[in-house]
Amino acid sequence: MRDATPAPALHRRSFLKYSGALGAAVTITSTLSALSACSSGPESTNETGGGGEGADRTLTAVIGYGNDQSWDPLMTASAFAMAGNHHIYEGLLDTDPISREPYAALATAVPADLRATTWKFTLREGATWHDGQPVTADDVVFTYGRVLDPKTTTLAKNFFASWLAEVKKVDAKSVEFVLKFPFPDGVQRLTLAKIMPEHVFSKAGALDGATTGKTVGSGPYRQTAHHPKSNTTFEAFADYNGPRKAAFKKMNWLTIVDAAPRVAKISGSSAGAQISDNIPYANISQLEKGGLEVEGGAGMNHLFLLFNTAHKPFDDVRVRQALHYAIDKEKMVEAALRGHGKPASSFLNEENPTYRRAKTVYGHDPDKARALLEEAGVSGLTVSLMAVNVSWIMDCLPTIKASWDAIGVETTLEPQETAALFTKLDQKKDFQVVAAASNPNQFGLDADLIMHYNYGPGNTWMRYARWESSSVAKDLFSRMDQATREPDAERKKTMTQEYIDVVAENAVIYPVVHNELITAWDAKDLTGVRPQPYPGINVLQAKWV
């Protein structure tokens, strides 16, 4: 999705694969077992450069998502890569990983007037790239040039193009942002445009290197080795002079996408890691009894259904609604999520500041589901449900199948590795319904950002759904644009809630449940850990005990 050329499938897949851990915690059928077995752990986890002792020892982390997707900061939605990039790169402003409050990173200050239509930023004196070159205004202009170039498609464009008109160089150390209209929420988005060095990534083919793992940032850690499907290593950048300095001399992040080996790596007398994200609910008690701190974060993480509206009968809203009404979500929360979740009552999770219960809420109502199918003239429906084999998604699939079978919809489950599934979607192969995991909170909390990520015109999700050319979609996009431009915060909130009602009613891409994400760490070794309600870890405020 880079430059003016057709987007490689790898780039498009990276929009979604941050939520795409592979592997399974439970067996649904023999087919699932076989697929789960194909999803292996790290090929090697020994290239760490030595463990060290005391304050010099290596922090070993386990990430339950793959490290083999794009590392281009403007393209990736990979949980592993985004978490790593938050330690490697800086935005002009960055945001706290929990509160999401902006703070000055490469810039010296947050704009004083957030309602102004111009923001000026001065770069931090002495900021250097990991290759020793100074950070300049040209690097900022280069980065935002990619974001705003109409001939270039990046994930970051979805977060900036509607409100940011231009980024201009003032002098060697300062830039000016020209906004299309006052947009205070924009400051929280600046972390999503990690500044990249022009002298590195403007060279021919260099952005391909960024896709496959090459990083050159200005942040507190520099990448020292990258082994896709195995591990990525980091070390403290000695010349970093920014606000959140490295507390660990070295870090080794292991990608272990299968649940059992991930848990084993952090538990027991032979534990080889100090922290892990994506802890299965079934293992919480075991890890707590073993002396680990285990804590969840409730956010927007969700299982969603994506319908192919070009494949009949899923072009009929009644059929989509029927399949949502059929699902026993309370059973899913109890059996699959062990109580660590809630049935979706809006596209947004209940903790979101803009949340309001949607006018259409898909409670478990099999009679209504049957009636809707009958009204749509659909009988004898068979559904092939493609799904990512993320462990907790796999746990939820049996409830979906049982619920659909119960209303006379013959259901076949087709779980597969995330890369395989989204390659099919990228290649525009036919499908019926997809079940997958997503968490737009990785990018922020504001509803405008979240909804444009999922329902923005021309974006990847809309292409997958084949829905954006419909009259309902076009009206939705118009409503979204009007809400973005609304200057009054309360009116904007109301307008957003109203168009989310449209999203709920049409259920083209819509959550089934929202769930917690669980992090575990050894408090005898680490302090300052704050578990995130979205995938990955952030240890910029953690340190050795």
Side-chain angles (χ1 to χ4, degrees):
M1 268 191 174
R2 203 172 34 75
D3 305 324
T5 58
L10 175 62
H11 283 188
R12 289 194 294 268
R13 289 199 304 273
S14 71
F15 277 72
L16 213 63
K17 285 172 60 180
Y18 75 93
S19 60
L22 313 177
V26 295
T27 300
I28 299 173
T29 66
S30 58
T31 302
L32 297 195
S33 297
L35 282 169
S36 177
C38 291
S39 178
S40 62
E43 298 167 356
S44 168
T45 58
N46 297 319
E47 294 121 340
T48 67
E53 295 181 357
D56 291 334
R57 64 193 188 277
T58 297
L59 171 69
T60 301
V62 183
I63 310 298
Y65 304 88
N67 73 339
D68 58 341
Q69 295 95 54
S70 175
W71 282 69
D72 182 339
L74 302 186
M75 285 299 309
T76 192
S78 156
F80 196 115
M82 285 193 72
N85 282 342
H86 282 311
H87 296 74
I88 294 168
Y89 290 95
E90 297 175 283
L92 289 172
L93 306 181
D94 281 330
T95 57
D96 182 86
I98 307 301
S99 72
R100 312 312 281 262
E101 285 297 313
Y103 65 89
L106 264 177
T108 56
V110 177
D113 183 4
L114 299 185
R115 299 201 58 79
T117 54
T118 59
W119 294 337
K120 184 177 179 180
F121 296 98
T122 300
L123 296 178
R124 186 177 72 236
E125 192 65 34
T128 60
W129 298 110
H130 293 161
D131 63 3
Q133 295 295 312
V135 179
T136 70
D138 291 326
D139 299 313
V140 179
V141 172
F142 165 73
T143 299
Y144 278 94
R146 287 187 67 204
V147 172
L148 298 177
D149 184 353
K151 297 181 180 180
T152 301
T153 302
T154 62
L155 175 57
K157 179 178 290 185
N158 290 319
F159 308 137
F160 291 91
S162 65
W163 58 275
L164 182 59
E166 184 182 6
V167 175
K168 300 187 294 186
K169 177 180 177 179
V170 176
D171 54 43
K173 285 293 183 179
S174 60
V175 295
E176 183 179 73
F177 279 44
V178 180
L179 281 61
K180 296 177 181 179
F181 47 85
F183 193 67
D185 291 340
V187 294
Q188 295 181 341
R189 302 190 186 187
L190 297 190
T191 189
L192 301 175
K194 298 296 189 187
I195 306 304
M196 302 173 71
E198 181 184 30
H199 69 278
V200 174
F201 290 109
S202 63
K203 295 178 180 178
L207 290 174
D208 291 331
T211 295
T212 55
K214 178 182 177 65
T215 64
V216 180
S218 62
Y221 291 92
R222 67 181 188 90
Q223 187 192 92
T224 52
H226 177 60
H227 305 283
K229 297 187 178 181
S230 172
N231 67 311
T232 302
T233 63
F234 312 78
E235 72 176 16
F237 178 42
D239 292 333
Y240 178 73
N241 67 347
R244 298 196 174 181
K245 295 179 171 57
F248 307 103
K249 294 290 184 67
K250 295 182 180 181
M251 298 194 296
N252 183 31
W253 289 17
L254 314 178
T255 170
I256 305 181
V257 294
D258 287 339
R262 184 167 65 250
V263 171
K265 194 69 178 179
I266 197 172
S267 58
S269 58
S270 59
Q274 293 87 29
I275 184 171
S276 174
D277 77 340
N278 198 23
I279 295 297
Y281 305 123
N283 297 106
I284 292 175
S285 178
Q286 165 203 342
L287 295 178
E288 288 178 334
K289 290 178 181 177
L292 297 182
E293 290 288 327
V294 185
E295 190 173 331
M300 200 180 168
N301 204 63
H302 61 271
L303 180 157
F304 67 90
L305 296 180
L306 161 68
F307 290 93
N308 178 0
T309 62
H311 188 123
K312 290 185 179 296
F314 307 108
D315 59 328
D316 192 321
V317 64
R318 294 168 294 187
V319 175
R320 301 193 298 267
Q321 289 181 338
L323 293 179
H324 271 282
Y325 277 119
I327 299 173
D328 190 342
K329 300 173 185 65
E330 295 288 354
K331 179 180 178 181
M332 182 181 288
V333 169
E334 179 184 356
L337 306 181
R338 308 291 180 99
H340 293 276
K342 296 178 181 178
S345 56
S346 167
F347 196 93
L348 302 175
N349 59 300
E350 293 181 14
E351 294 79 11
N352 188 284
T354 305
Y355 168 84
R356 185 200 69 192
R357 185 177 174 87
K359 288 185 177 179
T360 304
V361 176
Y362 297 99
H364 183 218
D365 193 339
D367 290 337
K368 187 167 187 175
R370 293 187 191 96
L372 283 166
L373 290 176
E374 183 178 355
E375 184 182 325
V378 174
S379 61
L381 179 61
T382 61
V383 173
S384 295
L385 179 63
M386 293 203 307
V388 296
N389 61 345
V390 179
S391 57
W392 72 271
I393 295 289
M394 296 274 280
D395 292 348
C396 292
L397 293 181
T399 300
I400 298 178
K401 175 175 170 55
S403 298
W404 288 356
D405 287 347
I407 63 165
V409 175
E410 184 180 337
T411 307
T412 302
L413 301 176
E414 297 182 4
Q416 53 205 275
E417 291 189 355
T418 303
L421 190 156
F422 287 102
T423 294
K424 295 173 184 175
L425 298 187
D426 290 333
Q427 294 173 349
K428 299 182 179 180
K429 293 187 177 181
D430 189 36
F431 73 96
Q432 293 180 307
V433 190
V434 165
S438 181
N439 194 332
N441 285 169
Q442 186 114 344
F443 307 107
L445 297 179
D446 73 275
D448 181 271
L449 178 153
I450 290 169
M451 299 312 298
H452 277 85
Y453 170 68
N454 287 276
Y455 276 87
N459 76 11
T460 296
W461 298 99
M462 289 291 93
R463 287 198 298 274
Y464 288 163
R466 279 87 148 169
W467 188 64
E468 65 181 336
S469 62
S470 72
S471 59
V472 177
K474 290 178 180 178
D475 178 67
L476 172 65
F477 300 153
S478 176
R479 288 170 175 246
M480 293 171 68
D481 183 60
Q482 291 170 25
T484 297
R485 294 173 174 272
E486 173 56 48
D488 181 80
E490 283 304 311
R491 175 61 184 150
K492 178 176 183 175
K493 182 176 180 179
T494 299
M495 293 169 70
T496 303
Q497 291 167 340
E498 288 173 349
Y499 77 64
I500 288 176
D501 286 338
V502 177
V503 170
E505 179 183 1
N506 284 275
V508 174
I509 304 168
Y510 204 71
V512 176
V513 290
H514 292 104
N515 70 315
E516 289 183 287
L517 291 177
I518 310 296
T519 302
W521 68 97
D522 191 339
K524 296 189 299 295
D525 281 328
L526 297 177
T527 185
V529 174
R530 297 185 297 161
Q532 299 178 165
Y534 51 93
I537 61 171
N538 186 306
V539 294
L540 292 180
Q541 292 180 297
K543 60 184 179 180
W544 294 119
V545 172

